[in-house]
């Protein structure tokens, strides 16, 4: 840090993590210049409803806004929306925006999130991705019109969108290359159950199947997808939900580690005075003894809080050691999970019965409990497992 | 200071209960329930944490 407390803090990315960083800085008493830079023109809004209430039309666009204008104004921000950051120089401590503005900083929080991974034909009319409010509004208008939707990729995002489209009466095909959707993330048991849930709701789920290309009209509008089994599925709209890329291009040449997102230490620090938080940040989580990049809503807020505190008070820095949490809503089923499930070595049914659509699964990595997931169970059932994960409980002592 | 919760927005994450267990609880479906809508001063930090962490932006603090 430069001598003394920071006077100028720049936060790049005006979504959940960026807003949470800004709010924490103010709450902790930072009264210097606080600039919040965002690529999108919208006031900070929330993404989880975009594949849920917004897509079904249950919510209007105003309802995804994260803070009321008055609450936002009270933060006294130098808010720069619609002007992305284009470069970072860590030696002069300057962020440059695409309009040429140079913003000097004592402290910087990088919160630029991720964007959808695209397939070669993603620019074709009728082909959608789902990340931003504008994406969601475009897709919502198409869903409202009815018709046939093909969703490419049965991760949580694709599965939620497929569910929303089904609930609006669309004919939905969900195409997934893996034999069991989501198995790598939550295990075969849960993946199999969710696949059945979608089939029961009338989704045509094609597993172990790749999309090899699309068909179009002569005018170039998408009319369907070609599959690896040689068949073609006609569609009025196609949603591509095949993962994401961290938004780090603007940081090229900055000297930061950009291997998979912005590489950070256990304090969420990427360089002196530079912190990263949210979907874009890969940091070392001492609780699990591994580096991780987590694309979940609560982690974005929590990590931004931790980063902001560490930035303001480097002498009292605390490692960021969360038990990650996520939820997903599919039809009337709520899935909730704590921990680091990816790479688990064992998943065991603990409570309930998949046949009733209510159950709890615990996950082991090495000798300890590293995760727990509940489907349709009351929250009380899951909470002790969060504690077990947070305290590094041995698997054999957990039952 | 008064706390307002917007139950229809709640996604049942229970993050508020972890942040301020004397102020928030969850019903059987996980939906937030208020235990104290005028929290004591020593609970304010926890409530602010809950406001910040709530993944549904369903909690608001209102100064009275
Ligand atoms: C449709 C959808 C549904 C989801 N549902 C769930 C769910 O049910 N549960 C769950 O736990 N998580 C869910 N998530 C994930 C959750 O929304 C993310 O974890 C969260 O949004 C991450 O916040 P963030 O601030 O780190 O990144 P983002 O929300 O991606 O925000 C980054 C911001 O930075 C901006 N930006 C990018 N580059 C620049 C630049 N160069 N300069 C300035 N600004 C820039 C972007 O425009 C964006 O506004 C969902 C995500 C999506 C898209």
């Amino acid at each position: 840090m430069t001598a003394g407390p920071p006077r100028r803090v720049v936060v790049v990315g005006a979504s959940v993590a960026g807003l949470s960083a800004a709010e924490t800085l103010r709450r902790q008493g930072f009264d210097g210049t606080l600039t919040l830079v965002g690529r999108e023109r919208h006031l900070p809004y929330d993404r989880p409803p975009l594949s849920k209430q917004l897509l079904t039309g249950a919510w209007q666009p105003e309802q995804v806004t994260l803070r009321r204008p008055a609450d936002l104004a009270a933060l006294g921000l130098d808010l720069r929306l619609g002007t992305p950051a284009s470069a970072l120089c860590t030696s002069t401590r300057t962020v440059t925006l695409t309009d040429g503005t140079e913003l000097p900083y004592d402290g910087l929080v990088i919160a630029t999130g991720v964007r959808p991974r695209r397939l070669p034909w993603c620019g074709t009319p009728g082909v959608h991705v789902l990340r931003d409010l504008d994406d969601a509004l475009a897709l919502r208008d198409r869903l409202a019109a009815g018709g046939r939707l093909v969703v490419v990729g049965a991760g949580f995002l694709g599965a939620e969108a497929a569910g929303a489209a089904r609930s609006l009466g669309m004919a939905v095909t969900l195409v997934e290359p893996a034999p069991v959707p989501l198995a790598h993330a939550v295990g075969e048991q849960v993946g199999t159950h969710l696949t059945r849930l979608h089939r029961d709701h009338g989704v045509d789920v094609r597993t172990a199947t790749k999309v090899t290309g699309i068909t179009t009209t002569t005018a170039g509008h998408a009319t369907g997808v070609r599959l690896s089994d040689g068949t073609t599925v006609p569609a009025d709209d196609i949603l591509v939900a095949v993962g994401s890329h961290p938004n780090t291009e603007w940081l090229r040449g900055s000297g930061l580690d950009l291997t998979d997102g912005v590489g950070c230490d256990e304090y969420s620090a990427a360089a002196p005075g530079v912190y990263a938080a949210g979907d874009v940040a890969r940091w070392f989580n001492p609780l699990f003894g591994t580096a991780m990049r987590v694309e979940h809503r609560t982690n974005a807020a929590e990590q931004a809080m931790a980063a902001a505190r560490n930035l303001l008070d480097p002498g009292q820095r605390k490692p960021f050691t969360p038990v990650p949490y996520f939820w997903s809503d599919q039809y009337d089923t709520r899935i909730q999970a704590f921990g680091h499930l990816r790479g688990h070595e064992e998943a065991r049914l603990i409570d309930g019965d998949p046949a009733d659509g209510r159950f709890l699964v615990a996950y082991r990595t090495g000798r300890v409990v590293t995760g727990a997931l509940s489907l349709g169970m009351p929250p009380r059932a899951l909470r002790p497992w969060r504690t077990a994960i947070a305290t590094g409980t041995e698997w054999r002592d957990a039952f | 200071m008064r706390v307002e919760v917007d139950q229809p927005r709640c996604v049942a994450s229970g993050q508020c209960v972890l942040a301020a267990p004397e102020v928030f609880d969850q019903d059987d479906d996980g939906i937030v329930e208020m235990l104290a809508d005028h929290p004591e001063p020593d609970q304010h930090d926890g409530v602010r944490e809950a406001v910040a962490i709530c993944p549904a932006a369903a909690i608001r603090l209102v100064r009275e």
Side-chain angles (χ1 to χ4, degrees):
Chain A
M1 292 302 295
T2 42
R7 297 306 310 149
R8 287 170 304 193
V9 176
V10 173
V11 178
V12 184
S15 181
V16 169
L19 178 67
S20 167
E23 288 184 335
T24 306
L25 289 163
R26 288 299 192 224
R27 215 164 48 238
Q28 299 291 114
F30 173 70
D31 60 2
T33 306
L34 181 47
T35 306
L36 181 60
V37 180
R39 181 175 57 73
E40 296 171 79
R41 287 176 197 287
H42 304 290
L43 288 178
Y45 63 87
D46 213 7
R47 289 176 211 279
L50 299 186
S51 52
K52 306 176 182 71
Q53 299 93 329
L54 190 95
L55 220 46
T56 58
W59 281 17
Q60 293 309 306
E62 312 81 72
Q63 287 173 277
V64 303
T65 305
L66 278 167
R67 296 289 180 262
R68 300 183 184 191
D71 293 345
L72 206 57
L75 293 173
L77 300 176
D78 167 25
L79 189 58
R80 309 211 180 202
L81 298 177
T83 41
S86 54
L88 165 67
C89 179
T90 50
S91 52
T92 60
R93 295 195 171 207
T94 313
V95 170
T96 307
L97 307 187
T98 45
D99 65 3
T101 309
E102 301 212 325
L103 300 169
Y105 65 83
D106 306 317
L108 170 67
V109 180
I110 297 169
T112 43
V114 301
R115 66 174 181 286
R117 190 160 82 79
R118 293 175 159 263
L119 297 173
W121 31 268
C122 266
T124 311
V127 179
H128 305 257
V129 293
L130 180 52
R131 180 77 196 173
D132 295 345
L133 178 56
D134 296 346
D135 301 332
L137 292 174
L139 185 60
R140 180 198 65 174
D141 290 348
R142 295 296 304 159
L143 299 197
R148 300 159 301 179
L149 177 73
V150 169
V151 180
V152 184
F156 281 110
L157 181 70
E160 285 189 357
R166 263 313 290 152
S167 70
L168 292 170
M170 284 187 101
V172 180
T173 307
L174 183 56
V175 186
E176 165 63 41
V180 179
L182 286 166
H184 67 288
V186 294
E188 302 229 335
Q189 243 161 357
V190 179
T192 305
H193 181 81
L194 291 175
T195 307
R196 190 166 355 108
L197 184 71
H198 282 280
R199 288 193 171 130
D200 289 349
H201 280 85
V203 176
D204 179 0
V205 187
R206 311 275 185 104
T207 55
T209 306
K210 287 196 179 83
V211 173
T212 55
I214 57 169
T215 56
T216 58
T217 61
T218 44
H221 195 281
T223 55
V225 293
R226 286 202 188 87
L227 303 182
S228 51
D229 62 9
T231 59
T232 300
V233 180
D236 302 298
D237 290 275
I238 300 166
L239 171 65
V240 175
V242 293
S244 54
H245 276 304
N247 288 320
T248 53
E249 286 70 17
W250 69 280
L251 296 166
R252 275 191 201 136
S254 65
L256 300 185
D257 166 14
L258 305 178
T259 316
D260 169 31
V262 178
C264 300
D265 62 14
E266 67 265 45
Y267 303 101
S268 286
V274 180
Y275 291 79
D279 286 13
V280 78
R282 175 174 44 85
W283 89 106
F284 182 81
N285 185 341
L287 180 60
F288 298 91
T290 183
M292 52 179 77
R293 193 167 65 73
V294 174
E295 295 187 20
H296 300 328
R297 170 65 174 79
T298 47
N299 190 69
E302 266 186 288
Q303 188 167 23
M305 289 165 69
R309 288 187 182 128
N310 286 343
L311 185 159
L312 278 188
D313 201 351
Q316 303 281 321
R317 298 205 299 179
K318 287 200 188 79
F320 179 56
T321 60
V323 176
Y325 165 82
F326 78 85
W327 85 101
S328 173
D329 295 335
Q330 300 184 26
Y331 309 100
D332 291 331
T333 300
R334 172 153 295 156
I335 300 140
Q336 297 192 292
F338 282 110
H340 185 57
L341 279 51
R342 209 163 276 264
H344 64 265
E345 289 156 26
E346 183 179 349
R348 190 186 292 182
L349 183 69
I350 299 295
D351 198 357
D353 184 350
D356 309 333
R358 293 159 64 85
F359 61 98
L360 193 148
V361 175
Y363 299 82
R364 174 185 67 79
T365 310
R367 299 173 53 164
V368 294
V369 184
T370 47
L373 177 145
S374 81
L375 213 139
M377 300 278 285
R380 265 190 301 282
L382 194 57
R383 240 183 267 156
W385 288 92
R386 181 189 186 277
T387 311
I389 300 162
T391 52
T393 302
E394 294 241 352
W395 185 250
R396 60 189 161 117
D397 300 335
F399 306 99
Chain B
M1 188 164 85
R2 182 164 52 88
V3 186
E4 280 180 7
V5 294
D6 186 348
Q7 282 176 328
R9 287 189 78 98
C10 177
V11 298
S13 76
Q15 301 290 313
C16 54
V17 183
L18 297 170
E22 311 84 12
V23 181
F24 303 101
D25 199 359
Q26 289 175 281
D27 70 14
D28 278 350
D29 293 325
I31 300 303
V32 61
E33 283 184 334
M34 297 292 302
L35 300 176
D37 49 11
H38 287 82
E40 302 298 324
D42 65 342
Q43 297 166 342
H44 288 186
D45 277 353
V47 174
R48 287 197 189 92
E49 179 104 3
V51 172
I53 213 85
C54 172
I59 310 171
R60 272 188 90 229
L61 265 184
V62 186
R63 244 174 269 280
E64 295 189 312

